[in-house]
Amino acid sequence: MQLKIMPKKKRLSAGRVPLILFLCQMISALEVPLDPKLLEDLVQPPTITQQSPKDYIIDPRENIVIQCEAKGKPPPSFSWTRNGTHFDTDKDPLVTMKPGSGTLVINIMSEGKAETYEGVYQCTARNERGAAISNNIVVRPSRSPLWTKEKLEPITLQSGQSLVLPCRPPIGLPPPIIFWMDNSFQRLPQSERVSQGLNGDLYFSNVLPEDTREDYICYARFNHTQTIQQKQPISVKVVSVDELNDTIAANLSDTEVYGAKSNRERPPTFLTPEGNTSNKEELRGNVLSLECIAEGLPTPLIYWMKEEGTLPFNRTCYRNFQKTLQILQVSEADSGNYRCIAKNALGAIHHTISVTVKAAPYWITAPQNLVLSPGEDGALICRANGNPKPSISWLANGVPIEIAPDDPSRKIDGDTIIFSNVQERSSAVYQCNASNEYGYLLANAFVNVLAEPPRILTSANTLYQVIANRPALLDCAFFGSPLPTIEWFKGAKGSALREDIYVLHDNGTLEIPVAQKDSTGTYTCVARNKLGMAKNEAHLEIKDPTRIIKQPEFSVVQRGSTVSFECKVKHDHTLIPTVLWLKDKGELPSDGRFTVDKDHLVVTDVSDDDSGTYTCVANTTLDNVSASAGLIVVAPTPTPAPIYDVPNPPFDLELTDQLDKSVQLSWTPGDDNNSPITKFIIEYEDAMHEAGLWHHQTEVPGTQTTAQLKLSPFVIYSFRVMAENSLGRSLPSERSEQYLTKAAEPDKNPTTVEGLGSEPDNLVITWKPLNGFESNGPGLQYKVSWRQKDGDDEWTSVVVANVSKYIVSGTPTFVPYLIKVQALNDVGFAPEPAVVMGHSGEDLPMVAPGNVQVTVVNSTLAEVHWDAVPLKSIRGHLQGYRIYYWKAQSSSKRNRRHIEKKILTFQGSKTHGMLPGLEPFSNYTLNVRVVNGKGEGPASPDRVFGTPEGVPSAPSSLKIINPTLDSLTLEWDPPSHPNGILTEYILKYQPINSTHELGPLVDLKIPANKTRWTLKNLNFSTRYKFYFNAQTSAGSGSQITEEGVTTVDEAGILPPDVGAGKVQAVNPRINKLTVAAAETYANISWEYEGREHVNFYVEYGVVGSKEEWRKEIINGSRSFFGLKGLMPGTAYKVRVGAEGDSGFVSSEDMFETGPAMASRQVDIATQGWFIGLMCAVALLILILLIVCFIRRNKGGKYPVKEKEDAHADPEIQPMKEDDGTFGEYSDAEDHKPLKKGSRTPSDRTVKKEDSDDSLVDYGEGVNGQFNEDGSFIGQYSGKKEKEPAEGNESSEAPSPVNAMNSFV
């Protein structure tokens, strides 16, 4: 097993290390600690600790020092080779080896030359356990040769041309650093136009006259020898075009003409590199430098890009005005083609550089030292990479392993040496060499076979003193082979310390991250391996921190006065503090005016020189604190007026008397700003559960500066204090130190405990969990207990995590359970919780109500009785009983629509209820079901009952046709709701004279089977008013009224006109005012006789109210209007009038809005799609009728007289559900109207039986309830599809124009 000794810190217990070592085999390099006591009898192979670099360039002016240091036990001996052969240092008087070291010192300063000692050196360190070797150290002296002498001709060129000034420095070792300067050793300015290349040459993209100078000098600096070599100065003269022309003109005759042309602008060309492409090779890890310098006019700019890739974002930089691209830490991934682009206003060129990145060998896994016990296994792994791939070779004690002495425990497998069942003779030092054409790597790794019981190297009974709330580190340096495991214990009988509170370092150190007072005690470190055990005790004392509880305050004093700085220090009573005062970080002036006592520094007779910063420094052997305050000395000034403000924040918060559930907080009040402090407000923060939130803790009077605070367990408290005076509250103080209270068992249990089943066979227990503050400790859980209430079972309990629900499965259906939920944490349990009762899941009821009886109260009301279902059969919480009832349909109606079932629900345990809104003279079927929380039970057997006859509704229509001199024919349709068997019709009529006075009333009974009647012997040219109603055995129904006029004489026949077939209106009038009322709105319709294009208005008001009529103007001449915003259950009066000079008003009518009830389910006849479909059908029928009317009337006879018939007006479609207004008109012929509601009878009342739905006043689609007297208390719902209402066919003469008027 591999031994691991004191590696870097990890959060792993020492006991887990051997397992990881066994699995991983190879880890980071390990070292035996060079403890003097341990080294007295512990052997160790040599290890090279220091050596000179592989390429060692020396200064030939100084002695040569070739380093080779090693450690081992016994101490190793050293030897050297030079150029592969033994180097006998004793034979060379200039060479000495340092005592106890392998470092060579070659004294060439007295005599000898450095070149004599050039070569390849290698050091070997050897002891009885093996031999370690150094790298091959190539020693070469540095060289700084002079420039070869050369004659440099002055350079003259024209402005705008390009120029390259060569440097060509001498070859030195190492290569020199090149720069250009002038004779004054000032660097020559460089720019995008002028720059130095990587080879040292100076490039000009184009020259300017200001480039003219005689001292362009290239310098080479050889850093190793600290010498600078200088090239001969180069002279450059730039001639402008004008100067050239003047020079030429002076040498020419007057008859000769010559002009030097200026160097024209030109596109870029590259000065370096040459051609379109070039190659570049670089080694991995070096800096890749690519260069492109171009000439042109104007000066070109350089841009870089990588073909088929991007430049590395964080390793790319540009030098030399973008002309040099550098990539740091180059790797194989940076290989590829790089393109530089030179561009100016006249064009652009590019050059491609193909980059290949090679790599000298580099480590993937370097071999690491092994310390093994006899019989253990191990391995040395040597893995390296490079380009090309390096070869791996092994050496043992500096000798190639192929010729080294054989070791049966060793097996070579390429880059790995595997050791098995090692013995002490297996100890050796192995070298791994990885090499390719670009370099090599050499690593030493020893195998040291030791059998050592555990030893603890730390001194016994070491006392550690630590300031509270700071980390405490208890050392336990150890050694052993095999690697010992480390455990720490506190106290004499304590258990091993766990890592949730402590940090156990692999080097044996125990760390207490935040040491508290209760951390004080004796700690024992125990090291174990298979050869034995060792232990050591350490003692830890926790000291209170040193604090300055009263700091010096900034002061502004007048010259000549006295100032005092207070520095009150609080410290641990076992520590001795020293207090030192400083002025401006230096000692106090040695002046008698400065006096220091226990807590104060007093300066008398203050002068201007005393201004500055005064610092109080309190030191103990464990800590130190300081506080500073400034002093400003001013001239005497008048006393300023007092400033009144809120207090300054308190400061110097201190926690004392720290107990498990209480602490004392003390503070120093801030300045009250001339208004006494009335109280202090204390707040706390729980950094563990609600960091950043401050909660109110308590308040104390303004005269008190301490408070005893009650605390909760397992909370990291911080406190702050605010002061309050009559002007307001101060800012909060700085937070106090943190205080972690001990964990304790919870002191409360979850609330809102409930038990309800979601399925018939389960019980879902829920509760409101405790929050973090209430948990009182780590590991919050809940103990959930339950048992059947009526059984003798024991409590069943389960402990669950910090959740809020637990599901008990497999329970019987709807059984009462006793439930309790108790909180617990790692410390213990909360108090015994309260017991609550719940129920397991409900199931549908099993039994239907029995003995269902129906008593018919009247034609619209019935009372139902039934027997209660036994509670056990309900299998759940009783919600109530639900009655389903429906009207029996004829066979023809059953074929056309679904049966409409209505529902009434009666809450609780009621066993009777009323069914309101029944239709008279109808057969009904009902059944009763019990309802629980799960749903409905089975239905009781159906009960059938019938309602008695009621009074009928008004006849559906009444028309006056065929008027003559002395007769009028009445035609009508039976009531839409006969509510029984019609026995006869009652017709009453009376004449109306020209002053609208009514004449005597005539009564006439007509058989029930008649739908037409002719009245004879009437007065000619007389208006009659007719009152018409139907009658059953229950009484007379609502009336319908109409007016008609007999003709004047035979000569009064009129030509055919639009209203042919109708009775002509003698005077304009409004009659047949009809109201259909609901809860909050009413639909008003009327018939008008008179001239066209009349604008109407509607007036209405509350019956019996003294308020004025409310008036609604109607847009256009339509004969209907919807009143909105009415009050439910209120009687209204209404009338209709016409605007203008010939204005007239109808007679008043009364109606009553329905009571405020919930609406029933949505009727299909009020659905938008159904209304649209009916309108489309009506439109199609109307078009067919128009065509038929035109064909029929073609060449026909015209009627004698035209009269507008009230019932010939179109019927009104159902009111739209969304706004209460009427829909479109539809023709009354050949189809049934969609109109709902009833006409208002002559007695101006609206009867419920006039509605097509007997429950219209109770709403639709929403459950309702009724008391025994029929009042609404229950639930009502309808499930039906509306069938078309029965309608009447018109008997008036057909006319296409009249039909179109009806539609419009």
Side-chain angles (χ1 to χ4, degrees):
M1 181 177 294
Q2 189 173 355
L3 181 63
K4 183 175 182 181
I5 303 175
M6 296 184 296
K8 61 182 180 181
K9 166 185 170 181
K10 292 185 179 178
R11 277 183 173 263
L12 266 177
S13 66
R16 295 174 59 187
V17 173
L19 176 61
I20 292 177
L21 296 179
F22 176 77
L23 295 175
C24 298
Q25 298 261 335
M26 298 303 298
I27 57 173
S28 58
L30 306 175
E31 296 181 357
V32 175
L34 298 180
D35 183 88
K37 296 179 181 178
L38 182 64
L39 293 178
E40 289 178 359
D41 56 354
L42 185 64
V43 294
Q44 181 178 354
T47 301
I48 301 292
T49 59
Q50 191 173 2
Q51 57 183 315
S52 294
K54 293 179 181 179
D55 191 6
Y56 185 27
I57 300 174
I58 62 173
D59 189 339
R61 300 168 300 180
E62 297 179 353
N63 289 337
I64 302 172
V65 178
I66 308 175
Q67 288 188 327
C68 180
E69 302 290 342
K71 65 179 181 178
K73 183 68 167 76
S77 61
F78 297 89
S79 63
W80 285 87
T81 63
R82 177 181 172 189
N83 297 327
T85 61
H86 176 67
F87 180 42
D88 192 347
T89 59
D90 295 334
K91 292 183 178 181
D92 191 335
L94 299 182
V95 179
T96 59
M97 188 182 299
K98 290 184 177 181
S101 166
T103 299
L104 295 180
V105 179
I106 304 174
N107 185 5
I108 62 172
M109 294 183 66
S110 59
E111 58 179 312
K113 294 183 178 180
E115 290 78 4
T116 307
Y117 294 95
E118 283 191 59
V120 180
Y121 293 80
Q122 189 173 41
C123 171
T124 301
R126 187 186 308 274
N127 69 7
E128 62 186 37
R129 287 275 168 160
I133 62 176
S134 70
N135 292 323
N136 286 330
I137 303 170
V138 181
V139 177
R140 295 183 294 171
S142 64
R143 297 180 179 88
S144 52
L146 299 175
W147 250 287
T148 15
K149 292 186 178 181
E150 56 183 331
K151 185 177 180 181
L152 301 177
E153 296 293 336
I155 300 173
T156 302
L157 72 166
Q158 187 179 339
S159 175
Q161 291 182 321
S162 62
L163 174 64
V164 179
L165 298 182
C167 180
R168 292 192 288 271
I171 298 175
L173 185 67
I177 297 172
I178 306 300
F179 49 92
W180 287 81
M181 292 194 298
D182 57 16
N183 277 330
S184 303
F185 296 100
Q186 299 298 315
R187 284 186 179 269
L188 295 178
Q190 298 189 23
S191 64
E192 293 174 344
R193 186 178 61 86
V194 182
S195 60
Q196 176 184 315
L198 294 175
N199 62 357
D201 293 349
L202 190 63
Y203 292 86
F204 294 78
S205 296
N206 50 77
V207 295
L208 298 174
E210 54 263 31
D211 295 328
T212 298
R213 64 190 313 146
E214 297 179 350
D215 54 352
Y216 284 94
I217 304 174
C218 181
Y219 289 87
R221 183 175 68 205
F222 298 90
N223 283 342
H224 213 80
T225 57
Q226 296 297 311
T227 59
I228 297 178
Q229 305 292 352
Q230 172 183 334
K231 184 182 176 74
Q232 291 294 324
I234 301 174
S235 175
V236 175
K237 183 176 182 181
V238 180
V239 181
S240 67
V241 175
D242 294 336
E243 290 177 330
L244 188 57
N245 285 338
D246 292 342
T247 302
I248 295 173
N251 296 320
L252 296 178
S253 65
D254 295 336
T255 60
E256 293 177 311
V257 178
Y258 181 86
K261 297 181 180 179
S262 63
N263 199 4
R264 295 181 179 178
E265 293 183 346
R266 61 191 181 279
T269 58
F270 282 112
L271 297 174
T272 183
E274 299 177 352
N276 294 327
T277 61
S278 60
N279 297 314
K280 175 75 173 180
E281 187 175 283
E282 190 58 78
L283 288 182
R284 179 181 186 270
N286 291 349
V287 177
L288 172 66
S289 296
L290 304 178
E291 180 181 60
C292 282
I293 301 177
E295 65 90 15
L297 188 65
T299 302
L301 300 177
I302 303 297
Y303 303 93
W304 291 90
M305 62 176 289
K306 184 180 182 183
E307 298 178 358
E308 300 180 356
T310 58
L311 296 173
F313 169 72
N314 56 348
R315 295 185 292 115
T316 301
C317 56
Y318 299 94
R319 302 278 186 255
N320 199 17
F321 308 98
Q322 292 273 117
K323 299 173 186 177
T324 302
L325 168 68
Q326 289 187 338
I327 299 178
L328 309 178
Q329 291 294 320
V330 69
S331 66
E332 290 87 339
D334 296 317
S335 298
N337 292 330
Y338 292 79
R339 177 178 293 185
C340 64
I341 302 167
K343 184 177 182 181
N344 67 6
L346 276 71
I349 59 171
H350 70 270
H351 182 93
T352 300
I353 305 174
S354 178
V355 174
T356 303
V357 178
K358 298 293 185 177
Y362 57 91
W363 289 121
I364 296 176
T365 304
Q368 306 293 318
N369 295 333
L370 285 177
V371 178
L372 302 175
S373 297
E376 288 187 333
D377 302 334
L380 291 179
I381 299 176
C382 177
R383 289 177 184 163
N385 202 357
N387 186 10
K389 183 77 174 178
S391 61
I392 304 294
S393 61
W394 287 96
L395 299 90
N397 296 325
V399 178
I401 203 162
E402 294 81 7
I403 61 175
D406 188 35
D407 184 353
S409 67
R410 178 182 70 212
K411 179 181 178 182
I412 310 293
D413 186 8
D415 59 7
T416 304
I417 301 179
I418 301 173
F419 298 93
S420 58
N421 191 25
V422 297
Q423 301 302 320
E424 189 172 352
R425 64 177 178 274
S426 302
S427 297
V429 181
Y430 292 86
Q431 291 82 32
C432 173
N433 185 298
S435 61
N436 65 10
E437 61 187 271
Y438 297 103
Y440 74 93
L441 293 173
L442 179 69
N444 290 276
F446 65 68
V447 175
N448 194 15
V449 180
L450 296 174
E452 295 290 334
R455 306 184 193 185
I456 295 179
L457 309 180
T458 303
S459 300
N461 296 311
T462 302
L463 174 63
Y464 297 89
Q465 294 181 332
V466 178
I467 296 297
N469 298 318
R470 293 186 183 178
L473 296 173
L474 279 62
D475 295 330
C476 182
F478 64 93
F479 174 75
S481 179
L483 177 70
T485 59
I486 299 297
E487 287 183 308
W488 280 91
F489 300 86
K490 182 181 179 183
K493 299 181 180 180
S495 58
L497 301 181
R498 299 180 302 176
E499 288 192 56
D500 53 353
I501 300 176
Y502 302 91
V503 179
L504 305 179
H505 294 259
D506 287 343
N507 64 356
T509 298
L510 173 69
E511 178 181 351
I512 306 173
V514 181
Q516 301 288 338
K517 282 289 189 179
D518 57 3
S519 303
T520 299
T522 299
Y523 294 79
T524 303
C525 167
V526 179
R528 293 186 177 92
N529 69 8
K530 63 183 181 181
L531 300 178
M533 179 194 76
K535 64 180 179 178
N536 192 17
E537 289 187 350
H539 307 283
L540 177 63
E541 293 180 356
I542 306 302
K543 306 296 184 180
D544 290 328
T546 304
R547 303 180 62 242
I548 299 177
I549 60 175
K550 181 65 175 177
Q551 298 183 359
E553 296 180 353
F554 173 80
S555 298
V556 178
V557 299
Q558 297 177 11
R559 192 180 303 117
S561 61
T562 298
V563 64
S564 175
F565 293 104
E566 183 178 6
C567 181
K568 189 173 184 179
V569 177
K570 183 170 184 178
H571 58 89
D572 190 280
H573 68 279
T574 62
L575 301 178
I576 301 175
T578 58
V579 178
L580 176 67
W581 285 92
L582 304 175
K583 179 180 183 295
D584 297 330
K585 299 183 179 179
E587 294 183 358
L588 292 177
S590 56
D591 191 330
R593 297 181 301 110
F594 291 82
T595 57
V596 178
D597 61 14
K598 181 180 180 182
D599 297 327
H600 292 83
L601 166 65
V602 179
V603 184
T604 60
D605 191 17
V606 174
S607 65
D608 293 339
D609 294 337
D610 296 330
S611 296
T613 300
Y614 291 84
T615 303
C616 164
V617 181
N619 294 288
T620 68
T621 55
L622 298 180
D623 63 346
N624 64 81
V625 290
S626 63
S628 299
L631 174 63
I632 297 178
V633 180
V634 298
T637 56
T639 303
I643 299 175
Y644 298 93
D645 200 354
V646 298
N648 292 345
F651 55 93
D652 288 340
L653 274 66
E654 182 181 10
L655 298 178
T656 56
D657 298 340
Q658 298 174 353
L659 302 177
D660 290 347
K661 292 190 177 181
S662 69
V663 69
Q664 180 170 294
L665 174 66
S666 59
W667 62 91
T668 301
D671 195 328
D672 63 6
N673 291 323
N674 302 302
S675 178
I677 296 174
T678 57
K679 65 179 178 180
F680 292 99
I681 299 94
I682 302 172
E683 294 181 339
Y684 73 90
E685 176 200 34
D686 178 6
M688 181 182 299
H689 306 107
E690 293 179 311
L693 295 179
W694 290 91
H695 304 274
H696 183 270
Q697 173 83 20
T698 187
E699 295 179 1
V700 297
T703 57
Q704 188 173 327
T705 57
T706 60
Q708 194 73 23
L709 306 179
K710 294 183 178 179
L711 307 179
S712 294
F714 198 58
V715 176
I716 299 179
Y717 279 98
S718 293
F719 300 96
R720 67 181 187 184
V721 183
M722 291 172 286
E724 188 174 297
N725 62 12
S726 60
L727 299 177
R729 184 174 294 183
S730 73
L731 295 174
S733 68
E734 295 292 328
R735 66 175 63 219
S736 71
E737 60 181 304
Q738 288 187 340
Y739 179 52
L740 172 63
T741 54
K742 275 188 176 181
E745 65 275 2
D747 50 21
K748 62 185 299 186
N749 286 303
T751 57
T752 321
V753 179
E754 293 182 347
L756 297 172
S758 60
E759 298 294 337
D761 60 348
N762 74 10
L763 171 66
V764 180
I765 302 173
T766 60
W767 60 89
K768 180 181 179 182
L770 303 181
N771 58 38
F773 186 83
E774 298 168 334
S775 65
N776 285 7
L780 178 63
Q781 295 177 299
Y782 300 98
K783 179 182 177 183
V784 184
S785 305
W786 67 91
R787 69 177 179 86
Q788 290 192 23
K789 178 177 180 293
D790 300 325
D792 297 329
D793 298 341
E794 296 294 328
W795 287 93
T796 302
S797 299
V798 64
V799 176
V800 299
N802 189 12
V803 295
S804 60
K805 180 172 71 174
Y806 182 77
I807 300 177
V808 182
S809 302
T811 63
T813 302
F814 197 65
V815 171
Y817 276 85
L818 297 180
I819 302 165
K820 57 183 179 180
V821 180
Q822 185 178 21
L824 68 147
N825 59 22
D826 291 350
V827 179
F829 287 82
E832 185 66 23
V835 177
V836 299
M837 190 174 77
H839 284 83
S840 56
E842 301 182 60
D843 205 348
L844 295 175
M846 302 172 57
V847 178
N851 192 26
V852 178
Q853 302 292 331
V854 181
T855 303
V856 177
V857 179
N858 55 40
S859 61
T860 62
L861 184 66
E863 185 175 10
V864 183
H865 288 262
W866 61 89
D867 289 344
V869 174
L871 292 178
K872 289 187 177 180
S873 300
I874 296 176
R875 300 202 295 178
H877 294 284
L878 176 63
Q879 303 290 330
Y881 291 88
R882 189 169 291 161
I883 300 177
Y884 285 76
Y885 63 100
W886 61 94
K887 180 181 175 183
Q889 305 291 334
S890 63
S891 60
S892 61
K893 290 186 178 180
R894 280 197 298 269
N895 292 334
R896 284 183 295 163
R897 68 172 186 176
H898 295 296
I899 295 177
E900 174 202 352
K901 288 189 176 182
K902 302 176 182 178
I903 303 172
L904 276 175
T905 300
F906 297 89
Q907 302 287 350
S909 58
K910 289 178 66 79
T911 56
H912 60 91
M914 309 295 289
L915 298 184
L918 304 177
E919 294 185 18
F921 200 58
S922 300
N923 290 324
Y924 281 87
T925 304
L926 65 76
N927 59 49
V928 185
R929 313 177 191 200
V930 67
V931 182
N932 67 9
K934 190 73 174 178
E936 298 178 349
S940 67
D942 290 350
R943 299 285 297 178
V944 179
F945 65 95
T947 55
E949 292 189 65
V951 296
S953 62
S956 299
S957 65
L958 176 62
K959 301 178 182 178
I960 311 297
I961 61 174
N962 301 331
T964 64
L965 287 173
D966 62 350
S967 69
L968 293 172
T969 299
L970 281 68
E971 189 175 82
W972 64 87
D973 288 327
S976 58
H977 295 283
N979 295 335
I981 300 175
L982 296 180
T983 57
E984 59 187 0
Y985 292 100
I986 305 298
L987 174 64
K988 300 177 182 180
Y989 63 94
Q990 56 190 148
I992 304 174
N993 60 20
S994 59
T995 61
H996 300 290
E997 294 178 349
L998 298 174
L1001 186 66
V1002 177
D1003 288 351
L1004 180 64
K1005 295 184 177 180
I1006 301 173
N1009 59 352
K1010 298 293 184 180
T1011 58
R1012 178 192 289 252
W1013 195 264
T1014 301
L1015 295 176
K1016 300 182 180 180
N1017 301 322
L1018 302 178
N1019 298 329
F1020 70 91
S1021 188
T1022 302
R1023 175 180 296 277
Y1024 286 89
K1025 184 168 185 177
F1026 299 93
Y1027 310 93
F1028 192 67
N1029 65 286
Q1031 188 167 348
T1032 64
S1033 61
S1036 297
S1038 303
Q1039 293 183 9
I1040 185 172
T1041 63
E1042 187 57 277
E1043 294 181 9
V1045 181
T1046 54
T1047 58
V1048 179
D1049 52 34
E1050 293 297 331
I1053 299 176
L1054 300 174
D1057 202 352
V1058 176
K1062 296 183 180 180
V1063 180
Q1064 181 183 14
V1066 177
N1067 294 312
R1069 67 195 183 101
I1070 297 172
N1071 59 9
K1072 296 188 179 177
L1073 184 64
T1074 305
V1075 181
E1079 296 175 20
T1080 59
Y1081 61 87
N1083 293 324
I1084 315 297
S1085 61
W1086 60 90
E1087 294 178 357
Y1088 165 71
E1089 297 174 0
R1091 63 183 178 85
E1092 297 180 356
H1093 307 300
V1094 175
N1095 292 325
F1096 299 101
Y1097 63 87
V1098 174
E1099 292 182 319
Y1100 67 102
V1102 178
V1103 174
S1105 174
K1106 296 182 180 180
E1107 295 179 359
E1108 294 183 357
W1109 291 81
R1110 283 175 276 185
K1111 187 174 183 180
E1112 298 285 346
I1113 303 299
I1114 301 171
N1115 294 327
S1117 57
R1118 60 181 179 174
S1119 58
F1120 64 89
F1121 186 76
L1123 290 178
K1124 301 179 183 178
L1126 305 179
M1127 293 183 294
T1130 305
Y1132 285 87
K1133 56 186 178 180
V1134 65
R1135 64 189 181 190
V1136 179
E1139 300 272 33
D1141 298 333
S1142 58
F1144 50 90
V1145 180
S1146 70
S1147 59
E1148 293 183 14
D1149 200 353
M1150 289 193 304
F1151 66 94
E1152 184 175 354
T1153 55
M1157 299 293 178
S1159 61
R1160 258 185 286 172
Q1161 293 181 348
V1162 176
D1163 193 327
I1164 189 174
T1166 64
Q1167 298 297 297
W1169 64 268
F1170 185 82
I1171 295 174
L1173 178 62
M1174 292 297 101
C1175 290
V1177 172
L1179 179 60
L1180 181 61
I1181 294 174
L1182 180 60
I1183 293 172
L1184 294 175
L1185 288 175
I1186 293 173
V1187 174
C1188 293
F1189 291 159
I1190 294 174
R1191 295 174 63 88
R1192 180 176 176 183
N1193 289 319
K1194 197 170 185 181
K1197 296 181 181 181
Y1198 293 101
V1200 176
K1201 191 175 178 65
E1202 178 185 9
K1203 181 179 183 299
E1204 185 170 330
D1205 187 1
H1207 288 286
D1209 284 344
E1211 291 290 304
I1212 299 170
Q1213 288 190 1
M1215 188 172 56
K1216 294 180 182 177
E1217 193 176 44
D1218 55 352
D1219 58 5
T1221 60
F1222 286 89
E1224 298 177 349
Y1225 286 102
S1226 65
D1227 186 32
E1229 298 216 10
D1230 299 327
H1231 70 281
K1232 298 175 182 179
L1234 298 176
K1235 180 177 178 182
K1236 297 171 68 176
S1238 64
R1239 297 186 182 276
T1240 304
S1242 59
D1243 60 358
R1244 304 174 187 265
T1245 62
V1246 178
K1247 298 183 179 180
K1248 292 179 182 178
E1249 48 268 41
D1250 294 339
S1251 171
D1252 67 339
D1253 191 329
S1254 60
L1255 285 179
V1256 67
D1257 290 335
Y1258 294 97
E1260 190 171 278
V1262 178
N1263 293 333
Q1265 294 185 356
F1266 297 85
N1267 288 319
E1268 296 181 11
D1269 58 359
S1271 61
F1272 186 84
I1273 65 165
Q1275 298 179 349
Y1276 170 79
S1277 65
K1279 299 179 180 177
K1280 63 178 180 178
E1281 295 179 0
K1282 288 292 184 180
E1283 65 178 37
E1286 299 295 335
N1288 302 302
E1289 293 185 354
S1290 172
S1291 60
E1292 66 184 8
S1295 166
V1297 178
N1298 192 36
M1300 184 61 71
N1301 287 341
S1302 298
F1303 184 75
V1304 175

